[in-house]
């Protein structure tokens, strides 16, 4: 029996539990779950023997350094802006770190110091980023080994309700705060398309959505996810005339979301009248009247003003959007708005009231890589890799599992001495990604590959 290992898990959010469950299976690990408020950590540890809850403020450098030094490895599932602080503490203590986040410039700056300390700082090992890297690089390296070239690479990933749970006008549901999902609608996108660098401003992002065909059962659309232009270099596919990584949603989502953008609902400027401290109730029609600058607050007049903000000319989609606006209740005088300080946050509160997963409802993750390949003999074909996974009713959600379990697998491999590449790293080379990929199928996570 191998020696007991002590793991510090920072954060007790959505993805922490599948990671914790995986790490405690062997019986050789002890996990300390740390949150600013100990009771949050206790909610997670109460059902998992072998785990302990503590209170820890990661902005208290001395306390963080002491906690990191007392464990063999630290998993950081807190906001990415804190990861560099955690890595610095790990370098000082010469202890390993795992995160599921993209490597930020602040983290990358610590690479040399991490190498000098002899520690593994594994990052980007969730779903997106994470599983997407593993299955993309598997095919890319196979093509290169056979003397071929990747001429086009498209990768789209979606965390969605399962079809039977997509029963609202946006076809979307939340497992936690809606704020991050809405703020992502403001992101610019940058990618290569047919040899040209395409740059899309956040205000136009929803207009760029296009159908993504995976299985006939799914009506999916996709749009670019931030800057994927550098993946030609990162994935070593210099011949790819198209290189795009994007987000998937169900059909109809972009047009509805664009209407909310056009109305001004992504404005996160604090407003006194939307402050929780302001006196009196605020009906939703009053919020929408203020936002649109309308003289009238009647639902009929507000709906007419909103209809003018709908960009699509498709009559069926326009009807769906107006139906959705009514369903949201944001023109109603009888629906009270929750005052959270800004138009964005007031809308978030309403979406969270209506669009959280209900008891027994499943989520779904779907990830497709699509490669146009030029083979060594000059012939061409298309290769695809699809990962599709559903959540367990009243169990782990697919999104939580596909982020938390790869993180747990990477952690165990580091503790077992099977992943030894030091520095601030991501799973970009076979010696890193292959051992992780080998263990995913036993957790119900895999990819179906086809060549056409």
């Amino acid at each position: 029996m191998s020696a007991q290992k002590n793991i510090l898990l920072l954060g007790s959010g959505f993805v922490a539990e599948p990671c914790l469950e995986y790490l405690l299976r062997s019986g050789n690990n002890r996990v300390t779950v740390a949150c600013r408020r100990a009771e949050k950590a206790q909610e997670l540890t109460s059902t998992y023997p072998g785990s302990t809850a503590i209170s820890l403020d990661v902005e208290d450098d001395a306390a963080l350094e002491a906690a990191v030094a007392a464990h063999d490895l630290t998993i950081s599932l807190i906001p990415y802006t804190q990861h560099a602080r955690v890595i610095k503490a790990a370098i000082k203590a010469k202890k390993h770190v795992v995160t599921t986040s993209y490597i930020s410039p602040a983290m990358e700056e610590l690479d040399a110091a991490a190498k000098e300390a002899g520690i593994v700082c594994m990052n980007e090992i969730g779903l997106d980023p994470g599983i997407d890297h593993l299955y993309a690089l598997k095919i890319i390296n196979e093509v290169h080994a056979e003397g071929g070239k990747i001429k086009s690479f498209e990768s789209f990933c979606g965390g969605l309700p399962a079809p039977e749970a997509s029963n609202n006008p946006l076809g979307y549901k939340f497992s936690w705060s809606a704020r991050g999902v809405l703020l992502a609608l403001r992101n610019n996108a940058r990618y290569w398309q047919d040899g040209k660098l395409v740059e899309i401003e956040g205000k136009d992002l929803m207009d760029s959505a296009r159908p993504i065909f995976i299985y006939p059962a799914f009506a999916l659309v996709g749009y670019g996810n931030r800057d994927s232009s550098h993946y030609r270099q990162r994935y070593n596919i210099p011949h790819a005339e198209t290189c795009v990584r994007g987000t998937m949603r169900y059909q109809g989502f972009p047009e509805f979301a664009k209407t909310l953008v056009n109305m001004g609902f992504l404005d996160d400027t604090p407003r006194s009248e939307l402050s929780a401290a302001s006196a009196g109730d605020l009906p939703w029609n009053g919020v929408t009247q203020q936002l649109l600058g309308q003289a009238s607050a009647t639902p009929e007049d507000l709906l007419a003003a909103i209809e003018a903000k709908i960009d699509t000319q498709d009559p069926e989609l326009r009807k769906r959007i107006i139906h959705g606006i009514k369903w949201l209740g944001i023109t109603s005088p009888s629906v009270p708005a929750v005052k959270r300080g800004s138009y964005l946050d007031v809308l978030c509160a309403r979406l969270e009231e209506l669009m959280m997963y209900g008891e027994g409802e499943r989520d779904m993750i779907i990830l497709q890589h699509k490669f146009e390949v030029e083979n060594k003999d000059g012939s061409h074909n298309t290769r695809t890799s699809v990962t599709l996974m559903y959540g367990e009713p009243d169990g782990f959600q697919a999104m939580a599992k596909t982020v938390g379990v790869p993180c747990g697998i990477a952690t165990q491999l580091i503790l077992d001495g099977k992943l030894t590449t030091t520095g601030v790293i991501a799973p970009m080379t076979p010696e890193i990604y292959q051992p992780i990929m080998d263990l995913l199928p036993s957790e119900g996570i895999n990819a179906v590959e086809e060549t056409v």
Side-chain angles (χ1 to χ4, degrees):
M1 188 171 175
S2 57
Q4 178 178 304
K5 299 293 186 180
N6 296 305
I7 302 161
L8 177 63
L9 175 56
L10 301 177
S12 63
F14 181 60
V15 303
E17 188 174 358
C19 181
L20 177 65
E21 187 276 333
Y22 181 86
L23 289 169
L24 290 175
R25 282 186 215 164
S26 71
N28 296 332
N29 297 324
R30 294 293 176 267
V31 182
T32 303
V33 179
C35 296
R36 190 187 293 266
R37 290 171 44 235
E39 56 266 32
K40 285 293 292 178
Q42 286 162 358
E43 288 175 16
L44 179 56
T45 60
S46 61
T47 54
Y48 286 96
S51 65
T52 309
I54 64 168
S55 171
L56 177 65
D57 180 356
V58 295
E59 294 187 352
D60 180 338
D61 287 332
L64 176 63
E65 287 172 5
V68 168
H71 295 81
D72 297 296
L73 182 149
T74 296
I75 301 170
S76 185
L77 296 179
I78 54 179
Y80 77 94
T81 51
Q82 301 285 4
H83 291 333
R85 185 189 296 269
V86 174
I87 294 171
K88 285 175 185 174
I91 289 168
K92 188 172 181 179
K94 297 190 174 180
K95 299 297 176 74
H96 305 300
V97 179
V98 177
T99 87
T100 59
S101 301
Y102 286 108
I103 297 173
S104 68
M107 295 158 70
E108 198 163 13
E109 285 175 8
L110 300 170
D111 178 55
K115 285 188 170 84
E116 190 175 337
I119 65 169
V120 180
C121 292
M122 169 69 81
N123 307 278
E124 305 189 24
I125 192 58
L127 169 63
D128 177 2
I131 290 171
D132 56 349
H133 293 329
L134 312 186
Y135 293 126
L137 289 164
K138 173 184 178 291
I139 289 180
I140 288 166
N141 288 333
E142 285 174 358
V143 169
H144 287 168
E146 294 163 4
K149 299 173 184 175
I150 304 293
K151 301 295 288 183
S152 172
F153 169 70
E154 295 183 351
S155 174
F156 285 88
C157 185
L160 297 161
E164 76 278 4
S166 63
N167 53 348
N168 66 52
L170 275 163
Y172 194 81
K173 287 190 176 170
F174 302 98
S175 301
W176 62 96
S177 167
R179 200 173 205 270
V181 174
L182 291 186
L183 284 176
L185 301 177
R186 304 198 308 199
N187 291 337
N188 298 339
R190 194 165 184 258
Y191 52 87
W192 291 97
Q193 186 72 48
D194 300 324
K196 295 177 182 175
L197 189 60
V198 176
E199 300 191 62
I200 297 171
E201 290 186 44
K203 66 182 179 65
D204 301 319
L205 184 64
M206 293 299 97
D207 293 330
S208 70
R210 58 182 173 85
I212 303 294
F213 299 104
I214 300 179
Y215 298 128
F218 296 122
L220 297 166
V221 295
Y223 47 87
N225 182 9
R226 304 198 186 201
D227 185 359
S228 50
S229 62
H230 63 288
Y231 275 84
R232 290 208 300 194
Q233 289 73 41
R234 201 171 191 211
Y235 281 174
N236 189 27
I237 47 173
H239 303 100
E241 295 176 2
T242 293
C243 180
V244 57
R245 298 169 83 247
T247 299
M248 276 190 289
R249 295 287 182 257
Y250 285 125
Q251 187 185 81
F253 178 96
E255 292 83 0
F256 197 141
K258 182 64 188 298
T259 302
L260 296 174
V261 171
N262 290 348
M263 289 173 69
F265 268 120
L266 296 195
D267 182 357
D268 58 357
T269 307
R271 296 180 184 275
S272 58
E273 68 274 16
L274 300 178
S275 165
S278 63
D281 293 334
L282 183 60
W284 252 108
N285 67 326
V287 175
T288 303
Q289 179 192 18
Q290 290 172 20
L291 177 63
L292 297 177
Q294 292 295 302
S296 168
T298 67
E300 296 76 19
D301 289 341
L302 292 175
L303 285 168
I306 292 167
E307 192 157 8
K309 302 281 187 182
I310 301 174
D311 285 347
T312 179
Q313 297 307 307
D314 182 308
E316 194 57 41
L317 267 177
R318 291 180 72 88
K319 269 196 252 180
R320 278 178 61 182
I321 292 167
I322 289 297
H323 165 73
I325 294 292
K326 292 176 181 176
W327 179 83
L328 281 177
I330 61 175
T331 61
S332 171
S334 58
V335 177
V338 177
K339 297 178 183 178
R340 282 196 186 172
S342 70
Y343 287 120
L344 171 71
D345 292 301
V346 172
L347 178 64
C348 285
R350 184 62 180 155
L351 295 179
E352 289 161 16
E353 286 173 3
L354 295 173
M355 294 171 56
M356 301 299 281
Y357 282 96
E359 186 177 340
E361 289 188 330
R362 302 185 302 165
D363 76 322
M364 173 184 92
I365 67 96
I366 186 164
L367 165 67
Q368 184 197 54
H369 297 314
K370 187 176 181 181
F371 307 84
E372 300 299 335
V373 178
E374 181 181 299
N375 297 304
K376 185 178 180 180
D377 63 3
S379 63
H380 293 79
N381 55 33
T382 301
R383 293 183 65 170
T384 60
S385 168
V386 175
T387 298
L388 174 63
M389 187 172 180
Y390 294 95
E392 304 155 16
D394 303 317
F396 290 147
Q397 291 200 345
M399 179 61 77
K401 187 170 180 178
T402 52
V403 177
V405 168
C407 177
I409 289 172
T411 296
Q412 192 64 59
L413 289 169
I414 293 167
L415 291 172
D416 292 344
K418 295 176 181 175
L419 284 182
T420 58
T421 304
T422 59
V424 178
I425 62 171
M428 291 287 145
T429 54
E431 67 271 14
I432 299 172
Y433 69 71
Q434 193 63 53
I436 301 170
M437 201 173 351
D438 288 345
L439 295 171
L440 288 175
S442 62
E443 303 300 320
I445 302 170
N446 54 33
V448 176
E449 297 180 4
E450 288 188 2
T451 301
V452 180

